[in-house]
Amino acid sequence: MLFGSRISTHFDYILILLILPIILLSSYLLSETSQALLLKQMGYCFLSIFIFLFVFFMPIRYTHKGIVAFYWICILLLLAVKFIGTTKLGAQRWINIGGFSLQPSEPIKIAIVIFLAHYINRNPPPIDGYGWIEFCKISFFILLPFGLILIEPDLGSAIIVLFMGYGMLFVIGVHKKIWISCIVFMLLFSPIAFKFILKPYQIDRIMKLVSGNTSSQVQQSLIAVGSGGIAGRSKTESTQAILKFLPIATSDFIFAHFAERFGFVGSCLLIGLYGLIVVHLLSFCFLDTKDYFIKVIASSLAMLFFIYTAVNIAMTIELAPVVGIPLPLLSYGGSSFVTFIILIAMFENVITFRFGFNFNQNKPSKKLNILSNSS
């Protein structure tokens, strides 16, 4: 009884209440475009309930060896994509395991977050932030998967990994001289990356964005957003999505579908809802300044919500190149949906069990398999 009452006391119900409307909106929009996709998405939602409960009751603060192993398994899967991966939509990003198709760039996001949560919790930054040595060590575990995802190529997922990792570090604390040096390096390196690292089709997308000569799918997206007006249009009048003029209306361009149905007012409310989720998650970074488990997972999840939302909406309204990033919990798809559910379950776990319940106490361990003594 005591264990159950403490869970009910410290569980963060607000986050669940903020994401439920998004999931319900997703089902509503899918019901208007494809009953088959709706049934599949409902299956993902049903499966996610069990995944959430499984992750929520895991002793996350104690699974050091398992987390290290999980990170390196994900790295091996990213390497395997190059040799045994399957190609879809012109990119080699998937591995077929039996009848199941796995995109390793999704679980690596989970692996990075929980791996760094363990490492940073045991090697907290000094008052003025991490110095060069620790910054470079942590950067290695961010840049390694970033590089492997980039060469698939999957620019969208690579950008997410990069900004999620360094956005989290910005919240955790790094010496300001390091950030200044990184900004200068990025400015100097950007032309080289543009010329020698980006693929021709990626450069083409950027040039089309700059010149205003956007693809037909973006043009149809802009028409859908504009036709929604202030208050939106009825289902029968939403011709862009219903008559299939709007491509990928259930996933990458679902915001355009939403804007056509609910207009400018609805779009602002949806963006505001995502904004509340981000602010709410970031507020937990100040809950306990010494608990870096909470700070890392909360800030990483907040960064993911922000990056996914900002990039998806920006590419929908011609402010960013199309990179295939879904809108969190709203776009159709199992991989991204399950990834967010797992991260939310991890967040709820470290929040609920932060006071040392039976199997999930936050006390130092004598064994550390993440790195050798280096702090």
Side-chain angles (χ1 to χ4, degrees), residues 38-252:
L38 173 62
L39 291 175
K40 288 184 178 181
Q41 193 70 8
M42 290 178 66
Y44 294 139
C45 293
F46 184 73
L47 176 63
S48 295
I49 294 174
F50 295 97
I51 294 174
F52 180 94
L53 292 174
F54 176 77
V55 175
F56 177 71
F57 286 107
M58 284 182 62
I60 291 177
R61 295 182 188 265
Y62 283 135
T63 52
H64 313 300
K65 292 181 179 180
I67 286 170
V68 174
F70 178 55
Y71 175 87
W72 289 109
I73 288 172
C74 289
I75 292 296
L76 291 175
L77 288 173
L78 286 174
L79 287 169
V81 170
K82 191 67 177 175
F83 302 100
I84 60 172
T86 58
T87 301
K88 297 180 183 179
L89 302 176
Q92 191 174 352
R93 304 172 185 172
W94 290 264
I95 296 176
N96 288 329
I97 304 174
F100 179 72
S101 182
L102 173 68
Q103 188 174 0
S105 59
E106 289 300 327
I108 192 62
K109 296 166 189 170
I110 301 169
I112 293 171
V113 172
I114 193 63
F115 183 91
L116 293 182
H118 270 271
Y119 178 72
I120 292 174
N121 193 54
R122 299 178 187 285
N123 299 273
I127 296 176
D128 57 349
Y130 282 123
W132 277 108
I133 295 177
E134 287 295 338
F135 177 78
C136 290
K137 289 178 181 178
I138 295 173
S139 293
F140 171 79
F141 295 109
I142 298 171
L143 294 177
L144 177 60
F146 164 78
L148 294 174
I149 296 171
L150 188 63
I151 63 177
E152 288 183 353
D154 188 353
L155 180 61
S157 294
I159 289 173
I160 287 172
V161 167
L162 191 69
F163 280 89
M164 177 195 71
Y166 286 105
M168 175 273 296
L169 274 179
F170 181 81
V171 175
I172 295 301
V174 174
H175 198 283
K176 61 182 180 181
K177 291 182 179 180
I178 296 178
W179 289 126
I180 295 173
S181 301
C182 289
I183 292 172
V184 173
F185 174 79
M186 288 177 60
L187 292 174
L188 295 175
F189 183 71
S190 294
I192 299 174
F194 185 83
K195 181 68 175 178
F196 298 104
I197 295 180
L198 294 182
K199 303 293 183 181
Y201 78 92
Q202 294 169 342
I203 296 175
D204 181 61
R205 288 179 180 179
I206 296 174
M207 296 308 297
K208 284 184 177 180
L209 176 68
V210 174
S211 64
N213 183 25
T214 53
S215 62
S216 60
Q217 60 185 1
V218 176
Q219 292 173 7
Q220 295 295 336
S221 174
L222 290 172
I223 293 172
V225 173
S227 64
I230 298 296
R233 309 177 75 174
S234 65
K235 177 182 176 180
T236 55
E237 294 176 335
S238 301
T239 56
Q240 289 299 111
I242 303 302
L243 298 181
K244 312 299 182 183
F245 291 119
L246 178 65
I248 328 179
T250 57
S251 55
D252 290 356

Side-chain angles (χ1 to χ4, degrees), residues 250-371:
T250 57
S251 55
D252 290 356
F253 288 91
I254 198 169
F255 178 77
H257 180 192
F258 178 89
E260 186 179 30
R261 287 287 281 112
F262 299 102
F264 177 77
V265 173
S267 300
C268 289
L269 290 174
L270 179 64
I271 294 172
L273 183 58
Y274 279 116
L276 284 175
I277 292 173
V278 173
V279 172
H280 177 69
L281 288 168
L282 289 177
S283 69
F284 282 90
C285 295
F286 306 97
L287 184 67
D288 184 349
T289 56
K290 294 182 179 180
D291 192 341
Y292 285 93
F293 249 106
I294 294 177
K295 294 184 74 171
V296 171
I297 294 177
S299 59
S300 296
L301 185 54
M303 293 299 164
L304 280 178
F305 267 104
F306 176 77
I307 298 163
Y308 268 90
T309 303
V311 174
N312 179 274
I313 294 177
M315 73 181 191
T316 300
I317 58 176
E318 202 182 2
L319 292 178
V322 178
V323 290
I325 293 178
L327 200 54
L329 305 178
L330 188 66
S331 294
Y332 165 78
S335 298
S336 175
F337 186 87
V338 171
T339 297
F340 271 97
I341 293 299
I342 291 174
L343 287 170
I344 290 169
M346 287 166 47
F347 167 78
E348 293 286 5
N349 176 287
V350 297
I351 289 295
T352 305
F353 301 121
R354 65 185 183 274
F355 295 117
F357 300 155
N358 296 329
F359 66 89
N360 202 10
Q361 298 177 15
N362 182 23
K363 57 185 179 181
S365 172
K366 295 180 180 179
K367 296 182 179 180
L368 177 60
N369 288 314
I370 298 177
L371 288 173

